Amino acid sequence: MKKTKQNVSVLFMLVSILFCVCLIAANVLETKQIQVGSISLTGGFIVFPISYIINDCVCEVWGFRKARLIIWTGFAMNFLFVTFGALCDLIPGAPYWNNQEGFHAIFGLAPRIAAASFVAFIAGSFINAYVMSRMKIRDGGRRFSARAILSTIAGESLDSIIFFPLALGGVVPMDELPILMMWQVILKTAYEVVALPITVRVVKAMKRHEGVDVYDNGVSYSIWKIFNVG
């Protein structure tokens, strides 16, 4: 049986690389606590919302199938990075090397936190892509700004609902978790709103460059059909 070749463009490849870099960078930056006004956040806030913006762009231009591909690619690359970091952290340092404590703080991600992060990322990213795709079909391609914001709210909400109880339940008081989750969703959505004028222009430029504007009519939303990219 002859297999049908499934190609991706150079632009899609570059966007996918940027997506993976943002996810890996977010993992490293999460180890630093930062202060925004009176709100405490992690350094990952600087870059992690960009992954949702990229997800929106990919789903809007190339459709759900290619968004599914980059989500799983990002997951795989992030998993490899965390695995390599954990293995290196376990290997004893040289006698003259005295930075083990700092290295461990960055790369010694607790298995519980890593697992919560991976599950939350997959769930949040896919619900973000699904909402974008369904709203685009419903609206006939209009109101990109509305679906970009609403999909982020859906994705970030699910991400927070999964991550915080799994990663921090029993560590952070249960009455504090909803507050943390709420601020994560609000601030990350605000990040997308601020970036929206740029996102709109980027999406238009991508569509012109690629000569495509995909609608996911009849597409399977199964998250497992990884290599069915159309």
Side-chain angles (χ1 to χ4, degrees):
M1 182 182 293
K2 186 177 180 180
K3 291 185 177 180
T4 303
K5 289 186 177 180
Q6 301 187 79
N7 299 320
V8 296
S9 69
V10 173
L11 179 59
F12 176 79
M13 181 187 69
L14 293 174
V15 170
S16 301
I17 292 170
L18 177 61
F19 183 75
C20 294
V21 169
C22 287
L23 293 177
I24 291 170
N27 255 354
V28 176
L29 298 178
E30 286 287 343
T31 59
K32 180 174 180 177
Q33 301 295 308
I34 62 175
Q35 193 83 11
V36 179
S38 60
I39 303 168
S40 295
L41 298 166
T42 62
F45 176 76
I46 296 171
V47 67
F48 185 73
I50 296 175
S51 67
Y52 275 81
I53 295 173
I54 295 172
N55 192 338
D56 289 346
C57 293
V58 170
C59 198
E60 175 68 17
V61 177
W62 291 286
F64 181 85
R65 288 178 292 190
K66 286 194 171 66
R68 176 172 55 202
L69 177 62
I70 72 159
I71 290 168
W72 279 116
T73 301
F75 176 89
M77 297 302 102
N78 208 9
F79 182 81
L80 280 174
F81 174 79
V82 170
T83 301
F84 291 150
L87 287 174
C88 190
D89 185 50
L90 289 172
I91 298 172
Y96 54 83
W97 191 69
N98 57 8
N99 289 322
Q100 179 60 30
E101 186 176 343
F103 188 91
H104 178 75
I106 296 174
F107 295 101
L109 194 63
R112 176 184 176 184
I113 294 176
S117 176
F118 288 140
V119 174
F121 163 72
I122 286 292
S125 295
F126 273 114
I127 198 66
N128 182 84
Y130 177 80
V131 171
M132 278 289 297
S133 174
R134 297 304 299 173
M135 286 186 69
K136 183 176 182 181
I137 295 171
R138 187 198 69 182
D139 296 339
R142 300 181 301 275
R143 294 187 283 273
F144 168 75
S145 297
R147 60 179 174 270
I149 293 169
L150 291 174
S151 65
T152 295
I153 293 172
E156 293 287 6
S157 296
L158 185 58
D159 185 293
S160 295
I161 287 169
I162 292 172
F163 176 77
F164 283 98
L166 287 180
L168 301 176
V171 178
V172 174
M174 290 304 294
D175 59 336
E176 291 291 329
L177 282 177
I179 298 172
L180 286 173
M181 292 157 60
M182 180 187 69
W183 275 116
Q184 288 287 319
V185 174
I186 290 173
L187 291 175
K188 288 177 180 178
T189 303
Y191 193 127
E192 171 125 12
V193 171
V194 170
L196 196 54
I198 299 173
T199 306
V200 170
R201 287 171 173 77
V202 168
V203 164
K204 288 180 179 178
M206 284 179 167
K207 287 180 179 179
R208 285 196 303 270
H209 181 274
E210 295 289 275
V212 297
D213 186 9
V214 174
Y215 288 77
D216 291 317
N217 295 302
V219 165
S220 170
Y221 287 101
S222 168
I223 68 171
W224 306 113
K225 295 184 178 181
I226 303 171
F227 300 110
N228 179 15
V229 296

